[in-house]
């Protein structure tokens, strides 16, 4: 059944107009919003428009059982499209499944605001949580696609400034290399129903602007040292040009002494978790992500201390 | 706190006599049994001696809430030491945390019974479950260390014979390469408080016997194709000579289109899950393993189908 679900989603994605390029930026943003508006948003959250670090931010809170902990979530969309609203399906899933609240900031996008504007905004949001008195051990950073990239680059920027690390990091199909040097960029050509090298390079040019992509805040998968990073969960599909952004970050994290889980779902497309409710793999992946977040936020009282 | 737990366990392990070699086989077996008898076994199971596939087998059942599903568990010990009883701490944890029963067969050990005797026994146990009417979709294979290796080699042998695959595979620090060609064999020298290249090669010679280690049933991490394998969870620590047995299998599984989770705990030793109850990382890892098994056994009813 699940294979059928995956095939059906693959077909749907192939019949969509390309999310990124070659249309105008306004058309791309509208197209992405229309696509994401079809995703199921779970019941059990309320959303409030707030300000965080000077940014318009969507606060997503559980209406049911809640627990301490704050998820700082960065939406995807290649740093060109997307908003807190487009990714509400993911943010709300994490909120419902963990009972924690989430802040989803509306960070600046290219081409109006190329690199490093988005990272500056993401860092401002993280700093605002800390300055507001949040215990870093009660914060987790999360994001999908370019937002997963922001989760990681924000921590690189935070480390440079001596800010404390949060409790955990969760990234769904993060984009971590604007040099596009991952083997999967070519090996998965055709298998990825969403991206081509050309589409990635096109949107990448808008974000990178005049900067050199060979720097850790643009290509952490090839250049950054994750030493001191918090426990990390990476979830990715095998039908993704961006697969090796995750596999390379997992390797770097492992080598740097970071707890890291590389959670690969075969034949799944980019950020397949958005299909929760219609794709079993999506629900299972989110269930695993929620357990990971809960473990890292709470510490874990061993469930079964017992006699020898 | 958890760093302190890890350091304490590292010190304890360094002060033990070596588990494998250079003592007599009887001394090694007694030493391993004594070490493992110190591990906590959770409450909530009952054990029964049964026969499975002609093997003395320990059946471990939950005394509390139970659910359908059978775990076929292979104990560790380098194919030279260990028994269903020595690994009861792990088997019982999986039973308590999943609610499923487990069978732990007492497969034959080297040097009395070198390769492929243990795999023949493990395959006989799996075949007995199938011939007894178990739905393969309700069976998972699991094991630690050499037993994690058996879980994988048993499926390679089962595939050769046209037997169906089970629902899932879970391996804790599996040994998957008797050529000992993983980079971690040398890179982790000194960091691993349990093994040295010499101790691994010494016990390996007993198991390999006169066989060529360059074959898939002895060195699957370098030679086997996991195509068609069930969803797989590999858990491993970074203070392990055997780390790259897991990283290489994860890579092969990913390339073969298998769902695979590579779950790496930094600074943790070989099969650190045996320290559940005294090491937070152990309890958390087992909690993740139990969720994974439960997902694969049940399929998952999406928890939050909801309105758009």
């Amino acid at each position: 059944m699940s294979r059928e679900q995956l095939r059906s989603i693959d077909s749907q994605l192939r019949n969509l107009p390309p999310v990124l390029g070659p249309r105008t930026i306004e058309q791309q943003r509208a197209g992405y919003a229309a696509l994401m508006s079809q995703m199921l948003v779970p019941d059990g959250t309320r959303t409030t428009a707030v300000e965080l670090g000077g940014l318009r931010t969507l606060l997503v809170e559980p209406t049911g059982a809640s627990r301490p902990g704050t998820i700082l979530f960065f939406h995807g969309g290649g740093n060109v499209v997307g908003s807190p609203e487009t990714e509400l399906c993911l943010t709300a899933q994490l909120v419902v499944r963990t009972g924690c609240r989430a802040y989803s900031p509306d960070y600046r996008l290219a081409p109006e605001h190329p690199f490093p504007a988005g990272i500056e905004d993401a860092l401002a949001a993280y700093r605002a949580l800390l300055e507001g008195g949040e215990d870093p051990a009660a914060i987790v950073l999360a994001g999908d696609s370019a937002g997963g990239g922001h989760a990681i680059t924000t921590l690189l920027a935070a480390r440079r400034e001596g800010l404390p690390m949060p409790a955990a990091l969760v990234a769904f199909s993060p984009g971590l290399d604007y040099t596009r040097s991952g083997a999967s960029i070519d090996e998965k050509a055709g298998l990825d129903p969403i991206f081509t090298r050309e589409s990635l390079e096109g949107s990448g040019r808008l974000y990178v602007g005049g900067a050199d992509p060979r720097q850790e805040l643009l290509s952490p998968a090839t250049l950054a040292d994750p030493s001191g990073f918090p426990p990390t969960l990476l979830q990715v599909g095998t039908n993704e040009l961006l697969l090796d952004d995750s596999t390379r970050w997992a390797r770097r994290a492992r080598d740097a002494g970071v707890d890291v889980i590389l959670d690969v779902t075969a034949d799944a497309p980019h950020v397949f978790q958005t299909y929760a409710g219609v794709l079993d793999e999506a629900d299972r992946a989110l269930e695993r992500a929620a357990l990971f977040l809960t473990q890292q936020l709470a510490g874990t009282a061993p469930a079964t201390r017992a006699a020898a």
Side-chain angles (χ1 to χ4, degrees), chain A:
Chain A
M1 186 179 74
S2 195
R3 291 295 109 175
E4 289 167 29
Q5 293 167 351
L6 282 167
R7 274 192 294 271
S8 164
I9 288 168
D10 187 84
S11 297
Q12 289 171 38
L13 288 167
R14 288 179 193 279
N15 289 319
L16 289 174
V19 169
L20 299 173
R23 299 168 299 164
T24 69
I25 294 296
E26 290 69 27
Q27 287 170 328
Q28 291 176 43
R29 288 178 183 161
Y32 186 69
L35 168 65
M36 297 301 284
S37 72
Q38 299 170 34
M39 303 301 174
L40 299 179
V41 175
D43 289 335
T45 67
R46 64 169 167 268
T47 60
T48 315
V50 299
E51 178 270 330
L52 184 70
L55 306 169
R56 184 184 77 84
T57 296
L58 201 62
L59 170 61
V60 185
E61 296 172 288
T63 53
S66 69
R67 58 184 300 159
T70 298
I71 301 165
L72 181 58
F73 188 92
F74 302 111
H75 72 80
N79 288 307
V80 171
V81 305
S83 72
E85 287 72 21
T86 61
E87 245 76 352
L88 184 58
C89 54
L90 290 176
T91 318
Q93 282 282 357
L94 292 176
V95 168
V96 169
R97 289 175 182 274
T98 62
C100 300
R101 65 181 174 181
Y103 288 98
S104 183
D106 193 21
Y107 60 83
R108 284 173 292 171
L109 299 177
E112 298 91 332
H113 304 284
F115 170 84
I119 297 173
E120 290 170 357
D121 287 354
L123 182 61
Y126 181 55
R127 188 193 299 276
L129 286 180
L130 296 173
E131 291 179 350
E134 292 260 357
D135 180 352
I139 302 173
V140 298
L141 263 57
D144 68 295
S145 193
H150 270 350
I152 284 170
T153 54
T154 297
L155 290 190
L156 293 170
R159 193 177 58 186
R160 287 182 184 182
E161 304 208 5
L163 296 177
M165 290 291 105
L169 179 63
V170 170
F172 303 141
S173 303
L176 299 173
D177 176 19
Y178 277 96
T179 72
R180 305 303 186 196
S181 62
S184 56
I185 299 280
D186 297 314
E187 289 171 2
K188 300 296 183 180
L191 277 175
D192 186 324
I194 300 175
F195 294 128
T196 62
R197 174 181 278 281
E198 292 66 35
S199 70
L200 287 176
E201 289 179 346
S203 65
R205 273 190 295 273
L206 299 180
Y207 176 61
V208 174
D212 184 345
R214 292 167 299 174
Q215 54 182 299
E216 67 169 12
L217 293 183
L218 283 168
S219 299
T222 64
L223 291 164
D225 175 3
S227 294
F229 265 45
T232 298
L233 171 65
L234 303 166
Q235 291 186 338
V236 64
T238 63
N239 286 0
E240 295 207 41
L241 267 58
L242 295 179
L243 170 61
D244 284 330
D245 287 26
S246 286
T247 65
R248 289 179 295 167
W249 188 255
R251 172 66 190 261
R252 296 180 86 83
R254 188 166 78 230
D255 289 347
V258 172
D259 292 345
V260 58
I261 301 174
L262 175 63
D263 181 338
V264 178
T265 298
D267 305 326
H270 187 60
V271 198
F272 62 93
Q273 295 86 345
T274 58
Y275 287 93
V278 295
L279 174 67
D280 293 343
E281 280 82 355
D283 286 277
R284 290 182 199 152
L286 287 163
E287 191 177 22
R288 294 192 297 270
L291 173 62
F292 175 79
L293 287 175
T294 305
Q295 288 186 333
Q296 301 304 328
L297 281 169
T300 294
T304 52
R305 286 185 193 278

